[in-house]
Amino acid sequence: MFFLFFFGNIGIKRSMVQAIRHREETINTQLAILLSKHGVNADAETIHRGGQHRPDVMFLLGGVRVVIEGKYADVPDAENVVLNDARQRVRRGVCHIAVALIYPKQLRTVRVTELEASLSKSRLKHLVISETGETDWAEGSPDEVLASLRRAHEAMTKDDIVASSAERLSQRIQSIADLWAGAGGVCDKLSDALGMPPKRGETADERNARRETAAKVSALVLANAMIFQEQLAASNADGRIDSLRVYDNAADPINEIKKHWHWIWTRINYVPIFQIGEAILEEVPITQGAIAAVRWLKDEAKSICANQSALRHDLMGRIYHWLLHHAKYLGTYYTATSSATMLLKLTFAQKWDIDFGSPKKLADFAAADLACGTGTLLMATAQAITDKFVIERVASNRSIQPTDLKHLHETLMENVIYGYDVLPSAVHLTASTLGMLAPEVTYRKMNLFTMPMGVEGRTLRLGSLDFIGHRKVQTQFTLDNSQMEVKQTGVASEHYTNAEVPTIDLCVMNPPFVRSVGGNLLFGSLPDDERDKLQSELKRRAKNLKASVTAGLGSVFMAIADKHLRVGGRMAFILPAALATGEAWGESRKLIADGYHLEIVIVSHDAQRPNFSENTDLSEIMFVARKLKRDECPGHTLYVNLWYNPTTIYEAMDVASRITATPAAEVETGSVTSIIGSDGRKLAELVSMPPSQCAEQWIGVQFAQTWTLRVAVQLSKHGALAVPGNNPTPLPLCQIEDLGALGPDRKRIHEGFKVSENEWSPYPCFWNHDAKTVTTIEQKPNSWLSPWIDSPRGSDYGPTRLWPRAGRILLVERVRTNTHRVLAVGFGQAVLGNTWWALSTSLDEQQGKALLLWLNSTPSLLLMLSRRVVTQGAWMQIKQPQWEAMPVLDVRNLPADALSRLAEDYDRLGHLELQALAKLNVDPVRAEIDAALSATLGLPDMKPLRDLLAREPGLTGKGLSAKPEQTSLFGKNELPQKTNPQIELF
């Protein structure tokens, strides 16, 4: 009975007297099982077979969905049939890779007991289709089919299709802008058509920059409309829409395209796409140069449409942010497509209480980006949900027909995705790029809103920040303030309306990186008088938020998201790395600690890419946090310390799949948990840590190596030095604030004093921190301070309020560890410094020398790195609160003979030249400092600790993830017997 039941379920038809005839699905399934023996952690029960409206076999390879479509060789026109089936799976987004297979007809009647052996020896004709291209037909064993699959996957991970397409189109756009930029009148008309009018008091430089930007964005809008037209024509959404090929031989393509676009938006729809395109073509002069420019765009648009994957991952957004001249004033940093992919893959890998395979149930799910830009994160959200949809439907034996995918896309665009931004052109591109995910589907609405920002009379609009304290932002419909109204944009239409934030299940954001300090760039794109009013209004509204305007708008947006998230909902944010340790971000960390399970934190220790945004090299951080129920306790946090930051979409999918495939129990053990890539190099280390309390720093992001993190935690939290290979040794530690008080910052010093290098005064100082001259611990003053008579705080502010806080020890305020040599310097007299914190203390001379020796030792460097605020790789800040709470050697409680020996060591070493902090493993003076402390305090040899620290990218500015000598996937054409479990069969 069991024998008959088993074969009945795998689709074999037979009777007791008839020969066995295996169906194609049976052979596909058997092939998947055979492939699984090459490192796949799955068995036959995990494979889900297809049906009439499902793939024959689907599995995951490095996070990429793979479908096998097979036919027997004796099926009429087998090659074309199976190839078309496979292409359709990729085109419709059911999978990223499809394998078209032709099986020898002899396999139909092989005995069941011999099927695996026969299949393993068979020569299978196969062709691999991926989002980035197709192979040729080839013949090979199942081992060779797997090798072809892996090669296709590896090629995808290396091929940044978005970047290459963006580069080509950007070059075309630059050439076109160069042609148009000289015609000021034309550019002014283009500027008006794009909603980019000149601001009051525009300077000549600002006018030229606006005109150039208008020319570039106009060319981009034309290219976007052409691509959308070609997508509509190719998808047969409406047979009345022409392909771009129609204009190949047109004498005047500008006029022909303009007429067709007018006909589309007046007779069919897609008003936001083609109306603005027609308006731009109306202003383009009819010259041979202009005609040539339009032909260039048309040809590039056709080329891009031949590569669908680029359109699925916000190609236009990448170009747009390159074009936008005023991006730096808006703090608009474009999220890399790879970063967006990885963040959303990890977000949806968490446990969600929803059936993503049901469009009806999915309609109650809301995902919002309150500063969506061109929609990169919303695109990645739609892609991640599509992945969940396909996988859950296949796993539960539900169909995946074109109508199912149509219902999914309708639900995503009309019910799930919400986007808000201040830039009309960016929201316009978001609508069109989201629409390109399924151009054959026309949506009734899209929840994309342009949020006005500026001042008009008494009306103050803060963009999406208007949602502080409000769920809905209402329009006023007044003639005078029409440009200050909310506009809802979709593929089909645009209209003025109210903007409302629903109760959110997922808030995903890369907020503008602007702050109220360091140039005061909040609302920096506006005239100064308007900016001042909006800044004051923001401070007024943000008073009751759990946020700091000093930290930046990211902190404010986290607090707004918290107000609109439902219990069980999640934040998925990209923010400056300072979130983990910065003083100003304390309120935001407390917000998470008090009401969220911080599930996962991702940071890049890749020296080449410490960022997750394209147009910045500042260090950034990504995190996912789930809103807790009342009285629910948060769980551990998984810290992902990337050694290699993926640069392509498929690399990101691969890394995310390796992270999620790592068993939680394996990470919980506290052992070093490594993520290894297919080429053998380490991609990341994972570490699980208990939830942070209150505004406690997220120390889990501070080191690339788990070994270093362990030593730092042991020393900072338990007061014991755990040199690798040795038992922890307790140390007498205290906080710096126990030893004295830190002096004023540079701003206060400048409010009380003026500095001079030559004019003597009774107020000596140590000015600046030149790595070439500050090479020893022992220093002398290099400048003098004179009281500022005209100080707004009074002429006696410097001498009476600031100078009493001077000290004989200075601690670095900011340091570049791959060039600077010291963390603290000592003087024979009290001084102040502009890039240093003065430590005013009552320690005697010997105690001060012992402290200076400790402050420049390897354990002190480790503690500093664990508390630093990262700006960019090896460039970091150590703010006053970080120094005040820093554990240091408690020199007050050392025996007299120990103090005497350390003071003698300081006299011997304090004037010797040190090498850069990053070179501590080869610096003989640093080794002598460590040896002196070891001899006096009974510590082990610190060489292993110096060697460990010298590998940290945050110290050296050099990456750790070097490729091994192996250049091919398997070596000498040899398949591995066992690889990482990177294939998951459904």
Side-chain angles (χ1 to χ4, degrees), residues 928-980:
E928 285 198 57
I929 291 173
D930 288 348
L933 289 168
S934 293
T936 300
L937 303 175
L939 302 174
D941 182 4
M942 295 190 209
K943 185 178 186 305
L945 182 56
R946 290 194 297 275
D947 290 340
L948 179 66
L949 264 184
R951 288 169 45 81
E952 281 293 331
L955 177 70
T956 65
K958 298 178 181 178
L960 278 172
S961 184
K963 286 188 177 181
E965 292 183 358
Q966 176 186 0
T967 55
S968 64
L969 191 59
F970 301 119
K972 300 176 181 178
N973 298 319
E974 182 180 344
L975 286 167
Q977 295 301 308
K978 184 172 178 61
T979 64
N980 268 2

Side-chain angles (χ1 to χ4, degrees), residues 159-168 170 310 315 318 337 614 647:
D159 183 13
D160 192 347
I161 49 174
V162 179
S164 57
S165 299
E167 183 177 0
R168 292 195 307 271
S170 297
L315 165 68
R318 177 174 290 196
T337 52
E614 287 288 1
T647 58

